[in-house]
Coordinates of all heavy atoms in Angstrom, one line a residue:
M200 N -1.6 21.8 0.9 CA -1.6 20.8 2.0 C -0.6 21.4 3.0 O 0.5 21.9 2.7 CB -1.0 19.5 1.5 CG -2.0 18.6 0.9 SD -2.9 17.6 2.1 CE -4.5 17.8 1.4
N201 N -1.0 21.2 4.3 CA -0.1 21.7 5.3 C 1.0 20.6 5.6 O 0.8 19.4 5.3 CB -0.9 22.0 6.6 CG -1.6 20.8 7.1 OD1 -1.4 19.7 6.8 ND2 -2.6 21.1 8.0
P202 N 2.1 21.0 6.2 CA 3.2 20.0 6.4 C 2.9 18.8 7.3 O 3.4 17.7 7.0 CB 4.3 20.9 7.0 CG 4.0 22.3 6.7 CD 2.5 22.3 6.5
Q203 N 2.0 19.0 8.3 CA 1.6 17.9 9.2 C 0.9 16.8 8.4 O 1.1 15.7 8.6 CB 0.8 18.4 10.4 CG 1.6 19.2 11.4 CD 1.6 20.7 11.0 OE1 0.9 21.2 10.1 NE2 2.5 21.5 11.7
A204 N 0.0 17.3 7.5 CA -0.8 16.3 6.7 C 0.1 15.5 5.8 O -0.1 14.3 5.7 CB -1.9 17.0 5.9
M205 N 1.0 16.2 5.1 CA 1.9 15.5 4.2 C 2.8 14.5 5.0 O 3.1 13.4 4.5 CB 2.8 16.5 3.5 CG 2.0 17.4 2.5 SD 1.1 16.4 1.3 CE 2.4 15.9 0.2
Q206 N 3.2 14.9 6.2 CA 4.0 14.0 7.0 C 3.2 12.8 7.4 O 3.8 11.6 7.4 CB 4.5 14.7 8.2 CG 5.5 13.9 9.1 CD 6.0 14.8 10.2 OE1 5.6 15.9 10.5 NE2 7.0 14.2 10.9
R207 N 2.0 12.9 7.7 CA 1.1 11.8 8.1 C 0.9 10.9 6.9 O 0.9 9.7 7.0 CB -0.2 12.3 8.6 CG -1.3 11.2 8.8 CD -0.9 10.3 9.9 NE -1.9 9.2 10.1 CZ -1.8 8.0 10.5 NH1 -0.6 7.6 10.8 NH2 -2.7 7.2 10.5
F208 N 0.7 11.5 5.7 CA 0.5 10.7 4.5 C 1.7 9.9 4.2 O 1.6 8.7 3.8 CB 0.2 11.6 3.3 CG -1.1 12.3 3.3 CD1 -1.4 13.5 2.6 CD2 -2.2 11.8 4.1 CE1 -2.6 14.1 2.7 CE2 -3.4 12.4 4.1 CZ -3.6 13.5 3.4
R209 N 2.9 10.4 4.4 CA 4.2 9.7 4.1 C 4.3 8.5 5.2 O 4.9 7.5 4.9 CB 5.4 10.6 4.2 CG 5.5 11.5 2.9 CD 6.8 12.2 2.9 NE 6.7 13.2 1.8 CZ 6.4 14.5 2.0 NH1 6.2 15.0 3.2 NH2 6.4 15.3 1.0
A210 N 3.8 8.8 6.4 CA 3.9 7.7 7.4 C 2.9 6.6 7.1 O 3.1 5.4 7.5 CB 3.6 8.3 8.8
I211 N 1.7 6.9 6.5 CA 0.7 5.9 6.2 C 1.3 5.0 5.1 O 1.2 3.8 5.3 CB -0.6 6.6 5.7 CG1 -1.3 7.3 6.8 CG2 -1.5 5.6 5.0 CD1 -2.5 8.1 6.4
L212 N 1.8 5.5 4.0 CA 2.4 4.7 3.0 C 3.8 4.3 3.3 O 4.7 5.1 3.2 CB 2.3 5.4 1.6 CG 0.9 5.8 1.1 CD1 1.0 6.5 -0.2 CD2 0.0 4.6 1.0
R213 N 4.0 3.1 3.7 CA 5.4 2.6 4.1 C 6.2 2.3 2.9 O 7.4 2.8 2.8 CB 5.3 1.5 5.0 CG 4.6 1.9 6.3 CD 4.9 0.9 7.4 NE 4.5 1.4 8.7 CZ 4.3 0.7 9.7 NH1 4.4 -0.6 9.7 NH2 3.9 1.3 10.8
A214 N 5.7 1.5 2.0 CA 6.5 1.1 0.8 C 5.6 0.4 -0.3 O 4.6 -0.2 0.1 CB 7.6 0.1 1.2
P215 N 6.0 0.6 -1.5 CA 5.2 -0.1 -2.6 C 5.7 -1.6 -2.6 O 6.8 -1.9 -2.1 CB 5.6 0.6 -3.9 CG 6.9 1.3 -3.6 CD 6.9 1.6 -2.1
V216 N 4.8 -2.5 -3.0 CA 5.2 -3.9 -3.1 C 5.4 -4.2 -4.6 O 4.6 -4.0 -5.4 CB 4.0 -4.7 -2.5 CG1 4.3 -6.2 -2.6 CG2 3.7 -4.3 -1.1
F217 N 6.6 -4.9 -4.8 CA 6.9 -5.3 -6.2 C 7.1 -6.8 -6.2 O 8.0 -7.3 -5.6 CB 8.2 -4.6 -6.6 CG 8.1 -3.1 -6.7 CD1 8.9 -2.3 -5.8 CD2 7.3 -2.5 -7.6 CE1 8.8 -1.0 -5.9 CE2 7.2 -1.1 -7.7 CZ 8.0 -0.4 -6.8
N218 N 6.2 -7.5 -6.9 CA 6.4 -8.9 -7.2 C 5.6 -9.2 -8.5 O 5.0 -8.3 -9.0 CB 6.1 -9.8 -6.0 CG 4.7 -9.6 -5.5 OD1 3.8 -9.3 -6.3 ND2 4.5 -9.7 -4.2
E219 N 5.6 -10.5 -8.9 CA 4.9 -10.8 -10.1 C 3.4 -10.5 -10.0 O 2.8 -10.1 -11.0 CB 5.1 -12.3 -10.4 CG 6.5 -12.6 -10.8 CD 6.7 -14.1 -11.1 OE1 5.7 -14.8 -11.3 OE2 7.9 -14.5 -11.1
K220 N 2.8 -10.8 -8.9 CA 1.4 -10.6 -8.8 C 1.0 -9.1 -8.9 O 0.0 -8.7 -9.5 CB 0.9 -11.1 -7.4 CG -0.6 -11.0 -7.2 CD -1.0 -11.6 -5.9 CE -2.5 -11.4 -5.7 NZ -2.9 -11.9 -4.4
T221 N 1.8 -8.2 -8.3 CA 1.5 -6.8 -8.3 C 1.7 -6.2 -9.7 O 0.9 -5.4 -10.1 CB 2.4 -6.0 -7.3 OG1 3.8 -6.2 -7.6 CG2 2.2 -6.5 -5.9
F222 N 2.7 -6.7 -10.4 CA 2.9 -6.2 -11.8 C 1.7 -6.7 -12.7 O 1.3 -5.9 -13.5 CB 4.2 -6.7 -12.4 CG 5.4 -6.0 -11.8 CD1 6.5 -6.8 -11.3 CD2 5.5 -4.7 -11.8 CE1 7.6 -6.1 -10.7 CE2 6.6 -4.0 -11.2 CZ 7.6 -4.7 -10.7
R223 N 1.2 -7.9 -12.5 CA 0.1 -8.4 -13.2 C -1.2 -7.5 -12.9 O -1.9 -7.2 -13.8 CB -0.2 -9.8 -12.9 CG -1.2 -10.5 -13.8 CD -1.3 -12.0 -13.6 NE -1.5 -12.4 -12.2 CZ -0.6 -13.1 -11.5 NH1 0.5 -13.5 -12.0 NH2 -0.9 -13.4 -10.2
D224 N -1.3 -7.2 -11.6 CA -2.5 -6.3 -11.2 C -2.3 -4.9 -11.9 O -3.3 -4.3 -12.3 CB -2.5 -6.2 -9.7 CG -3.5 -7.1 -9.1 OD1 -4.2 -7.9 -9.8 OD2 -3.6 -7.2 -7.9
Q225 N -1.1 -4.4 -12.0 CA -0.9 -3.1 -12.6 C -1.4 -3.1 -14.0 O -2.0 -2.2 -14.5 CB 0.5 -2.7 -12.5 CG 1.0 -2.2 -11.1 CD 2.4 -1.9 -11.0 OE1 3.1 -1.6 -12.1 NE2 3.0 -1.8 -9.8
E226 N -1.0 -4.2 -14.7 CA -1.4 -4.3 -16.2 C -2.9 -4.5 -16.4 O -3.5 -3.9 -17.2 CB -0.6 -5.4 -16.8 CG 0.9 -5.1 -16.9 CD 1.7 -6.3 -17.3 OE1 1.1 -7.4 -17.6 OE2 3.0 -6.2 -17.4
R227 N -3.4 -5.5 -15.6 CA -4.8 -5.9 -15.9 C -5.9 -5.0 -15.3 O -6.9 -4.7 -15.9 CB -5.0 -7.3 -15.4 CG -4.2 -8.3 -16.1 CD -4.5 -9.7 -15.6 NE -3.7 -10.7 -16.3 CZ -3.6 -12.0 -15.9 NH1 -4.2 -12.4 -14.9 NH2 -2.8 -12.8 -16.6
R228 N -5.7 -4.6 -14.0 CA -6.7 -3.9 -13.3 C -6.3 -2.4 -12.9 O -7.1 -1.7 -12.3 CB -7.1 -4.6 -12.0 CG -7.5 -6.0 -12.1 CD -8.0 -6.6 -10.8 NE -7.1 -6.4 -9.7 CZ -7.5 -6.1 -8.5 NH1 -8.8 -5.9 -8.2 NH2 -6.6 -5.9 -7.5
N229 N -5.1 -2.0 -13.3 CA -4.6 -0.7 -12.9 C -4.6 -0.5 -11.4 O -5.0 0.5 -10.8 CB -5.4 0.5 -13.6 CG -4.7 1.8 -13.6 OD1 -3.4 1.8 -13.5 ND2 -5.4 2.9 -13.7
A230 N -4.2 -1.6 -10.7 CA -4.1 -1.6 -9.2 C -2.7 -1.7 -8.7 O -1.9 -2.4 -9.3 CB -4.9 -2.8 -8.7
Y231 N -2.4 -1.0 -7.7 CA -1.1 -0.9 -7.1 C -1.1 -1.3 -5.7 O -2.1 -1.0 -4.9 CB -0.5 0.6 -7.2 CG -0.3 1.0 -8.6 CD1 -1.4 1.5 -9.3 CD2 0.9 1.0 -9.2 CE1 -1.2 1.9 -10.6 CE2 1.1 1.4 -10.5 CZ 0.0 1.9 -11.2 OH 0.2 2.3 -12.5
H232 N -0.1 -2.1 -5.2 CA -0.1 -2.6 -3.9 C 0.9 -1.8 -3.0 O 2.0 -1.5 -3.5 CB 0.4 -4.1 -3.9 CG -0.6 -5.0 -4.6 ND1 -1.0 -6.2 -4.1 CD2 -1.2 -4.9 -5.8 CE1 -1.8 -6.7 -5.0 NE2 -1.9 -6.0 -6.0
F233 N 0.5 -1.5 -1.8 CA 1.4 -0.8 -0.8 C 1.3 -1.5 0.5 O 0.3 -1.9 1.0 CB 0.9 0.6 -0.7 CG 1.1 1.5 -1.9 CD1 0.1 1.6 -2.8 CD2 2.3 2.2 -2.1 CE1 0.2 2.4 -4.0 CE2 2.4 3.0 -3.2 CZ 1.4 3.1 -4.1
D234 N 2.5 -1.5 1.3 CA 2.5 -1.8 2.7 C 2.1 -0.5 3.4 O 2.7 0.6 3.1 CB 3.8 -2.3 3.2 CG 4.1 -3.7 2.8 OD1 3.1 -4.5 2.7 OD2 5.2 -4.1 2.7
V235 N 1.1 -0.5 4.3 CA 0.6 0.7 4.9 C 0.7 0.5 6.4 O 0.9 -0.6 7.0 CB -0.8 1.0 4.5 CG1 -0.9 1.4 3.0 CG2 -1.8 -0.1 4.8
A236 N 0.6 1.6 7.1 CA 0.6 1.6 8.6 C -0.7 0.8 9.1 O -1.8 1.0 8.5 CB 0.5 3.1 9.1
P237 N -0.5 0.0 10.1 CA -1.6 -0.8 10.6 C -2.8 0.0 11.1 O -3.9 -0.5 11.1 CB -1.0 -1.6 11.8 CG 0.5 -1.5 11.6 CD 0.8 -0.3 10.8
D238 N -2.6 1.2 11.6 CA -3.7 2.0 12.1 C -4.4 2.9 11.0 O -5.3 3.6 11.3 CB -3.2 2.9 13.2 CG -2.2 3.9 12.8 OD1 -1.5 3.7 11.8 OD2 -2.0 4.9 13.5
A239 N -4.0 2.8 9.8 CA -4.5 3.6 8.7 C -5.8 3.0 8.2 O -5.9 1.7 8.1 CB -3.5 3.7 7.5
N240 N -6.8 3.8 7.9 CA -8.1 3.3 7.3 C -8.1 3.6 5.8 O -7.2 4.3 5.3 CB -9.3 3.8 8.1 CG -9.4 5.3 8.0 OD1 -9.0 6.0 7.0 ND2 -9.9 5.9 9.1
K241 N -9.2 3.1 5.2 CA -9.3 3.3 3.7 C -9.3 4.7 3.3 O -8.8 5.1 2.2 CB -10.5 2.5 3.2 CG -10.3 1.0 3.3 CD -11.5 0.3 2.7 CE -11.4 -1.2 2.9 NZ -12.5 -1.9 2.2
V242 N -10.0 5.6 4.0 CA -10.2 7.0 3.6 C -8.8 7.7 3.7 O -8.4 8.4 2.8 CB -11.2 7.7 4.6 CG1 -11.2 9.2 4.3 CG2 -12.6 7.1 4.4
E243 N -8.0 7.4 4.8 CA -6.7 8.0 4.9 C -5.8 7.5 3.8 O -5.0 8.3 3.2 CB -6.1 7.6 6.2 CG -6.7 8.3 7.4 CD -6.1 7.9 8.7 OE1 -5.7 6.7 8.9 OE2 -6.0 8.8 9.6
I244 N -5.9 6.2 3.4 CA -5.0 5.7 2.4 C -5.4 6.3 1.1 O -4.5 6.7 0.3 CB -5.2 4.1 2.3 CG1 -4.6 3.5 3.6 CG2 -4.5 3.6 1.1 CD1 -5.0 2.0 3.7
R245 N -6.7 6.5 0.8 CA -7.1 7.2 -0.5 C -6.5 8.6 -0.5 O -6.0 9.0 -1.6 CB -8.6 7.2 -0.5 CG -9.2 8.0 -1.7 CD -10.7 8.2 -1.6 NE -11.4 6.9 -1.7 CZ -11.8 6.4 -2.8 NH1 -11.7 7.0 -3.9 NH2 -12.4 5.2 -2.8
R246 N -6.7 9.3 0.5 CA -6.2 10.7 0.6 C -4.7 10.8 0.4 O -4.2 11.7 -0.3 CB -6.6 11.4 1.9 CG -8.1 11.7 1.9 CD -8.5 12.4 3.2 NE -9.9 12.6 3.3 CZ -10.6 12.8 4.4 NH1 -10.0 12.8 5.5 NH2 -11.9 13.0 4.4
A247 N -4.0 9.9 1.0 CA -2.5 9.9 0.9 C -2.1 9.6 -0.5 O -1.2 10.3 -1.1 CB -1.9 8.8 1.8
I248 N -2.7 8.6 -1.2 CA -2.3 8.3 -2.6 C -2.6 9.5 -3.5 O -1.8 9.9 -4.3 CB -3.1 7.0 -3.1 CG1 -2.7 5.8 -2.3 CG2 -2.9 6.8 -4.6 CD1 -1.3 5.3 -2.6
E249 N -3.8 10.1 -3.3 CA -4.2 11.2 -4.2 C -3.3 12.4 -4.0 O -2.9 13.1 -4.9 CB -5.7 11.5 -4.0 CG -6.6 10.5 -4.5 CD -8.1 10.8 -4.3 OE1 -8.4 11.7 -3.5 OE2 -8.9 10.1 -4.9
A250 N -2.9 12.7 -2.7 CA -2.0 13.8 -2.5 C -0.6 13.6 -2.9 O 0.0 14.5 -3.5 CB -2.1 14.2 -1.0
L251 N 0.0 12.4 -2.6 CA 1.4 12.2 -2.9 C 1.7 11.9 -4.4 O 2.7 12.3 -4.9 CB 1.9 11.1 -2.1 CG 1.9 11.3 -0.6 CD1 2.4 10.1 0.2 CD2 2.9 12.5 -0.2
F252 N 0.7 11.3 -5.1 CA 1.0 10.9 -6.5 C 0.2 11.6 -7.5 O 0.3 11.4 -8.7 CB 0.8 9.4 -6.6 CG 1.7 8.5 -5.8 CD1 1.3 7.8 -4.7 CD2 3.0 8.4 -6.2 CE1 2.1 7.0 -4.0 CE2 3.9 7.6 -5.4 CZ 3.5 6.9 -4.3
N253 N -0.7 12.5 -7.1 CA -1.5 13.3 -8.0 C -2.3 12.5 -9.0 O -2.3 12.7 -10.2 CB -0.6 14.3 -8.8 CG -0.9 15.7 -8.5 OD1 -1.8 16.0 -7.7 ND2 -0.1 16.6 -9.0
V254 N -3.1 11.5 -8.4 CA -3.9 10.6 -9.2 C -5.3 10.5 -8.6 O -5.5 11.0 -7.4 CB -3.3 9.2 -9.3 CG1 -2.0 9.2 -10.1 CG2 -3.1 8.6 -8.0
K255 N -6.3 10.0 -9.3 CA -7.6 9.8 -8.8 C -7.8 8.3 -8.5 O -7.6 7.4 -9.3 CB -8.7 10.2 -9.8 CG -8.7 11.7 -10.0 CD -9.3 12.4 -8.8 CE -9.4 13.9 -9.0 NZ -9.7 14.6 -7.8
V256 N -8.2 8.0 -7.3 CA -8.4 6.6 -6.8 C -9.8 6.2 -7.0 O -10.7 6.9 -6.7 CB -8.0 6.5 -5.3 CG1 -8.3 5.1 -4.8 CG2 -6.5 6.9 -5.1
K257 N -9.9 5.0 -7.6 CA -11.3 4.4 -7.8 C -11.7 3.6 -6.6 O -12.9 3.6 -6.2 CB -11.2 3.5 -9.1 CG -12.5 2.9 -9.4 CD -12.3 2.1 -10.7 CE -13.6 1.4 -11.1 NZ -13.3 0.5 -12.3
G258 N -10.8 2.8 -6.0 CA -11.1 2.0 -4.8 C -9.9 1.6 -4.0 O -8.8 1.6 -4.6
V259 N -10.1 1.3 -2.8 CA -9.1 0.8 -1.9 C -9.5 -0.4 -1.2 O -10.6 -0.5 -0.6 CB -8.7 1.9 -0.8 CG1 -7.7 1.4 0.1 CG2 -8.3 3.2 -1.5
R260 N -8.7 -1.5 -1.2 CA -9.0 -2.7 -0.5 C -7.8 -3.0 0.4 O -6.6 -2.7 0.1 CB -9.1 -3.9 -1.5 CG -10.3 -3.7 -2.5 CD -10.3 -4.7 -3.5 NE -10.9 -5.9 -3.0 CZ -11.0 -7.0 -3.7 NH1 -10.5 -7.1 -4.9 NH2 -11.5 -8.1 -3.1
T261 N -8.1 -3.4 1.6 CA -7.0 -3.7 2.6 C -7.0 -5.1 3.1 O -8.1 -5.8 3.0 CB -7.1 -2.7 3.8 OG1 -8.4 -3.0 4.5 CG2 -7.0 -1.3 3.5
A262 N -5.9 -5.6 3.5 CA -5.7 -6.9 4.0 C -4.7 -6.9 5.2 O -3.7 -6.3 5.1 CB -5.3 -7.9 2.9
L263 N -5.1 -7.5 6.3 CA -4.2 -7.7 7.4 C -3.5 -9.0 7.2 O -4.1 -10.0 7.0 CB -5.0 -7.7 8.7 CG -5.7 -6.4 9.1 CD1 -6.5 -6.6 10.3 CD2 -4.6 -5.3 9.4
R264 N -2.2 -8.9 7.4 CA -1.3 -10.1 7.2 C -0.7 -10.5 8.5 O 0.1 -9.7 9.1 CB -0.3 -9.9 6.1 CG -0.9 -9.4 4.8 CD 0.1 -9.2 3.8 NE 0.6 -10.5 3.3 CZ 1.7 -10.6 2.6 NH1 2.4 -9.6 2.3 NH2 2.0 -11.8 2.2
K265 N -1.1 -11.6 9.0 CA -0.7 -12.1 10.3 C 0.8 -12.4 10.3 O 1.3 -13.0 9.3 CB -1.5 -13.3 10.7 CG -1.2 -13.8 12.1 CD -2.1 -15.0 12.5 CE -1.8 -15.5 13.8 NZ -2.6 -16.7 14.1
G266 N 1.5 -12.1 11.4 CA 3.0 -12.4 11.5 C 3.2 -13.9 11.6 O 2.5 -14.6 12.3
K267 N 4.3 -14.3 10.9 CA 4.6 -15.8 10.9 C 5.5 -16.1 12.1 O 6.3 -15.3 12.6 CB 5.3 -16.1 9.6 CG 4.4 -16.0 8.4 CD 5.2 -16.5 7.2 CE 4.4 -16.4 6.0 NZ 5.1 -16.8 4.8
V268 N 5.4 -17.3 12.5 CA 6.3 -17.8 13.6 C 7.6 -18.3 12.9 O 7.6 -19.0 11.9 CB 5.6 -19.0 14.3 CG1 6.6 -19.6 15.3 CG2 4.4 -18.6 15.0
V269 N 8.7 -17.8 13.5 CA 10.0 -18.1 13.0 C 10.8 -18.8 14.1 O 10.6 -18.6 15.2 CB 10.8 -16.9 12.4 CG1 10.1 -16.4 11.2 CG2 10.9 -15.8 13.4
R270 N 11.8 -19.6 13.6 CA 12.6 -20.3 14.6 C 14.0 -20.3 14.1 O 14.4 -20.6 13.0 CB 12.1 -21.8 14.7 CG 12.9 -22.6 15.7 CD 12.3 -23.9 15.8 NE 13.3 -24.8 16.6 CZ 13.0 -25.9 17.2 NH1 11.8 -26.3 17.2 NH2 13.9 -26.5 17.8
R271 N 14.9 -19.9 15.0 CA 16.3 -19.8 14.8 C 17.0 -20.7 15.9 O 17.2 -20.2 17.0 CB 16.9 -18.4 14.9 CG 16.2 -17.5 13.9 CD 17.1 -16.9 13.0 NE 16.6 -15.7 12.2 CZ 15.8 -15.8 11.2 NH1 15.4 -17.0 10.8 NH2 15.5 -14.8 10.5
G272 N 17.3 -21.9 15.6 CA 17.8 -22.8 16.6 C 16.8 -23.1 17.6 O 15.7 -23.6 17.3
V273 N 17.0 -22.9 18.9 CA 16.1 -23.1 19.9 C 15.2 -21.9 20.2 O 14.2 -22.0 21.0 CB 16.8 -23.6 21.3 CG1 17.5 -24.9 21.0 CG2 17.7 -22.6 21.7
T274 N 15.5 -20.8 19.7 CA 14.8 -19.6 19.9 C 13.6 -19.5 19.0 O 13.8 -19.6 17.8 CB 15.7 -18.3 19.7 OG1 16.8 -18.4 20.5 CG2 15.0 -17.0 20.1
I275 N 12.4 -19.2 19.5 CA 11.2 -19.1 18.7 C 10.7 -17.6 18.9 O 10.7 -17.1 20.0 CB 10.1 -20.1 19.2 CG1 10.6 -21.5 18.9 CG2 8.8 -19.8 18.4 CD1 9.7 -22.5 19.4
G276 N 10.3 -17.0 17.7 CA 9.8 -15.7 17.7 C 8.7 -15.5 16.7 O 8.3 -16.5 16.0
T277 N 8.3 -14.3 16.4 CA 7.3 -14.0 15.4 C 7.7 -12.8 14.6 O 8.4 -11.9 15.1 CB 5.9 -13.8 16.0 OG1 6.0 -12.7 16.9 CG2 5.4 -15.0 16.7
K278 N 7.4 -12.9 13.3 CA 7.6 -11.7 12.5 C 6.4 -10.7 12.7 O 5.4 -11.2 13.2 CB 7.6 -12.1 11.0 CG 8.9 -12.8 10.6 CD 8.9 -13.0 9.1 CE 10.2 -13.7 8.6 NZ 10.2 -13.8 7.2
S279 N 6.6 -9.5 12.4 CA 5.6 -8.5 12.6 C 4.4 -8.7 11.7 O 4.6 -9.1 10.5 CB 6.1 -7.1 12.4 OG 7.3 -6.9 13.0
A280 N 3.2 -8.4 12.2 CA 2.0 -8.4 11.4 C 2.1 -7.2 10.5 O 2.6 -6.1 11.0 CB 0.8 -8.5 12.2
T281 N 1.6 -7.2 9.3 CA 1.6 -6.1 8.4 C 0.2 -5.8 7.8 O -0.7 -6.7 7.9 CB 2.6 -6.3 7.2 OG1 2.2 -7.4 6.5 CG2 4.0 -6.4 7.7
K282 N 0.0 -4.7 7.2 CA -1.2 -4.4 6.6 C -0.9 -4.0 5.1 O 0.1 -3.2 4.9 CB -2.0 -3.2 7.3 CG -3.3 -2.9 6.7 CD -4.0 -1.9 7.6 CE -5.5 -1.7 7.2 NZ -6.2 -0.8 8.2
R283 N -1.6 -4.5 4.2 CA -1.4 -4.2 2.8 C -2.6 -3.6 2.2 O -3.7 -4.0 2.5 CB -1.0 -5.5 2.0 CG -0.6 -5.2 0.6 CD 0.0 -6.5 0.0 NE 1.3 -6.6 0.5 CZ 2.1 -7.6 0.0 NH1 1.8 -8.4 -0.8 NH2 3.4 -7.7 0.5
A284 N -2.4 -2.6 1.3 CA -3.5 -1.9 0.6 C -3.4 -2.1 -0.9 O -2.3 -2.0 -1.4 CB -3.5 -0.4 0.9
I285 N -4.5 -2.5 -1.5 CA -4.5 -2.6 -3.0 C -5.4 -1.4 -3.5 O -6.6 -1.3 -3.2 CB -5.1 -3.9 -3.4 CG1 -4.3 -5.1 -2.8 CG2 -5.2 -4.0 -4.9 CD1 -5.0 -6.4 -2.9
V286 N -4.7 -0.5 -4.2 CA -5.3 0.7 -4.6 C -5.6 0.7 -6.1 O -4.7 0.5 -6.9 CB -4.4 1.9 -4.3 CG1 -5.1 3.2 -4.7 CG2 -4.1 2.0 -2.8
T287 N -6.9 0.7 -6.5 CA -7.2 0.7 -7.9 C -7.4 2.2 -8.4 O -8.1 2.9 -7.7 CB -8.5 -0.1 -8.1 OG1 -8.4 -1.4 -7.6 CG2 -8.9 -0.2 -9.6
L288 N -6.8 2.5 -9.5 CA -6.9 3.9 -10.0 C -7.9 4.0 -11.1 O -8.3 3.0 -11.7 CB -5.5 4.3 -10.5 CG -4.3 4.3 -9.5 CD1 -3.1 4.8 -10.2 CD2 -4.6 5.1 -8.3
Q289 N -8.4 5.3 -11.3 CA -9.3 5.6 -12.4 C -8.6 5.2 -13.7 O -7.4 5.2 -13.8 CB -9.6 7.0 -12.4 CG -10.3 7.5 -11.2 CD -11.8 7.3 -11.2 OE1 -12.4 7.0 -12.3 NE2 -12.4 7.3 -10.0
A290 N -9.4 5.0 -14.8 CA -8.8 4.7 -16.1 C -8.0 5.9 -16.6 O -8.3 7.0 -16.4 CB -9.9 4.4 -17.1
G291 N -6.8 5.5 -17.2 CA -5.9 6.6 -17.7 C -4.9 7.1 -16.7 O -4.0 7.9 -17.0
Q292 N -5.1 6.7 -15.4 CA -4.2 7.2 -14.4 C -3.1 6.2 -14.1 O -3.3 5.0 -14.4 CB -4.9 7.4 -13.0 CG -6.0 8.4 -13.1 CD -5.6 9.8 -13.0 OE1 -4.7 10.1 -12.2 NE2 -6.1 10.6 -13.9
A293 N -1.9 6.6 -13.7 CA -0.8 5.7 -13.4 C 0.1 6.3 -12.4 O 0.2 7.6 -12.2 CB 0.0 5.4 -14.7
I294 N 0.8 5.5 -11.6 CA 1.8 5.9 -10.6 C 3.2 5.7 -11.1 O 3.5 4.6 -11.5 CB 1.6 5.2 -9.2 CG1 0.2 5.7 -8.6 CG2 2.7 5.6 -8.3 CD1 -0.1 4.9 -7.3
E295 N 4.0 6.7 -11.2 CA 5.3 6.6 -11.6 C 6.3 6.5 -10.4 O 6.3 7.4 -9.6 CB 5.8 7.8 -12.5 CG 5.0 7.9 -13.8 CD 5.2 6.7 -14.7 OE1 6.4 6.2 -14.8 OE2 4.3 6.3 -15.4
Y296 N 7.0 5.4 -10.3 CA 8.0 5.3 -9.2 C 9.3 5.9 -9.6 O 9.8 5.6 -10.7 CB 8.1 3.8 -8.8 CG 6.9 3.2 -8.3 CD1 6.2 2.2 -9.1 CD2 6.3 3.5 -7.1 CE1 5.1 1.6 -8.7 CE2 5.1 2.9 -6.7 CZ 4.5 2.0 -7.5 OH 3.4 1.4 -7.0
T297 N 9.9 6.6 -8.8 CA 11.3 7.2 -9.1 C 12.3 6.7 -8.2 O 12.1 6.2 -7.1 CB 11.3 8.7 -9.1 OG1 10.8 9.2 -7.8 CG2 10.4 9.3 -10.2

């Protein structure tokens, strides 16, 4: 892989998501959740996961999460909208976080 492609892959995958639902998905469906760049598509997400973690991806599902309205006193603002990817891996594959 060339350095520009690896840099783009790291920019696509922003952070893994850890909560009770994601741990349950890891155990039951071998699915991992990631916050991804809003402009990333499923093909780019698949290539990024396969290149960075050395695994085979079975499927990618994405969800756009609308930013919430927040209020601090009289000031009203919004949180950023995010995009989340649920990546299902082939049987026998796993992602090790370090």
Side-chain angles (χ1 to χ4, degrees):
M200 278 276 134
N201 61 15
Q203 290 87 10
M205 293 303 284
Q206 186 176 7
R207 172 67 180 151
F208 290 157
R209 287 187 189 96
I211 288 172
L212 298 179
R213 293 196 170 162
V216 178
F217 298 113
N218 57 36
E219 291 180 17
K220 182 179 179 180
T221 62
F222 286 128
R223 189 171 53 244
D224 265 357
Q225 287 177 17
E226 293 171 358
R227 293 182 183 170
R228 301 187 313 137
N229 200 22
Y231 295 82
H232 296 229
F233 292 91
D234 280 333
V235 296
D238 62 339
N240 61 35
K241 292 181 181 185
V242 175
E243 289 177 326
I244 295 168
R245 174 189 297 267
R246 288 180 184 161
I248 295 288
E249 289 178 348
L251 294 175
F252 296 108
N253 247 356
V254 294
K255 291 290 182 187
V256 174
K257 182 177 178 183
V259 177
R260 300 171 80 184
T261 58
L263 294 173
R264 304 182 72 196
K265 187 177 176 183
K267 294 182 179 181
V268 175
V269 292
R270 181 175 168 160
R271 304 240 192 281
V273 295
T274 306
I275 297 176
T277 58
K278 289 187 177 182
S279 310
T281 60
K282 187 172 189 177
R283 185 169 284 184
I285 302 169
V286 180
T287 306
L288 302 181
Q289 299 276 341
Q292 300 281 316
I294 293 176
E295 296 295 325
Y296 299 109
T297 54

